[in-house]
Amino acid sequence: MASEAKPENGTSLATLRDRLRRLYHGRTPEAVRFQAAVVLVDIVIIAFFIATPLLQGTASFLWLDYAVAILVAADLLARLLASTDMVRLMRQPTSWVDLFILLTLLFPTALANLSFLRILRLWSLSRSGVLWRHLGGGRFLAWRDTTHAVVNLLTFLFVVTGFVYTFFFRQASGLVGYVDALYFTVATVTTTGFGDIVLPGVAGKLTSIVTMIIGISLFVRLAQAIFRPTKVLFPCPQCGLQRHEPDAVHCKACGHVLNIPDEGS
């Protein structure tokens, strides 16, 4: 009897994996609705992460924290089951980010000082195949690099804001402290330099220096993404070069003839 149950269990797991694979990677109406729901849940989770400094003192925070942990764990497990190569998926930086976020959710007290890094989920979402699979063509393609640049800048702003709030403005708890941290971060990144809010000590000066250097770099990257000539994503069949000019006939790396579809194709 036990030997007969094993193939059935194996078949059930294979059926589940096939079902998840079609939902996460398919293009059927059902799969599109599922993928849209996944993105929507991700946005709600990111909003919770942004609001975490304001919610930590409430009675319902731990319940919300563990509920989000269940969602993140379920999504990570489902994506692993839907993958054809689990090892390769776990080697991706987005998977490392999800695992780290899950740890901070499962141990909110012990890892409280690292909870500001949860906003990296926003960066993971911007790299998500689920998000871009149905926005990868047409007019959306031209905005992909710009969207990545904006998300990189927003992620950095919220990470630094969370860090500054956690280590410098925690005494002014709640909304006031968080707004002060956000105000300082934006003023520092934009090199406005009002000087009305500064971070004390050597650690504060080093934090300001790092914030200015990385922030300026991200602003430059965003400006390049907005103003530089748009290139199309079309892998060269010969050498694999991804980006080409919209009117390119030959690959500039290997000279292979390209057949880039235009909007009228």
Side-chain angles (χ1 to χ4, degrees), residues 119-134:
I119 195 60
L120 290 174
R121 180 86 177 188
L122 176 61
W123 175 83
S124 296
L125 177 61
S126 73
R127 264 67 183 172
S128 170
V130 173
L131 178 63
W132 287 103
R133 185 172 298 115
H134 303 285

Side-chain angles (χ1 to χ4, degrees), residues 73-114:
D75 178 59
L76 181 59
L77 178 60
R79 286 191 288 110
L80 282 172
L81 291 175
S83 174
T84 56
D85 190 343
M86 293 186 182
V87 175
R88 181 173 178 271
L89 178 62
M90 290 307 300
R91 288 176 178 172
Q92 295 179 0
T94 52
S95 296
W96 301 347
V97 169
D98 288 342
L99 284 174
F100 173 79
I101 291 172
L102 184 58
L103 284 175
T104 65
L105 290 166
L106 293 175
F107 305 99
T109 303
L111 300 177
N113 286 343
L114 298 178

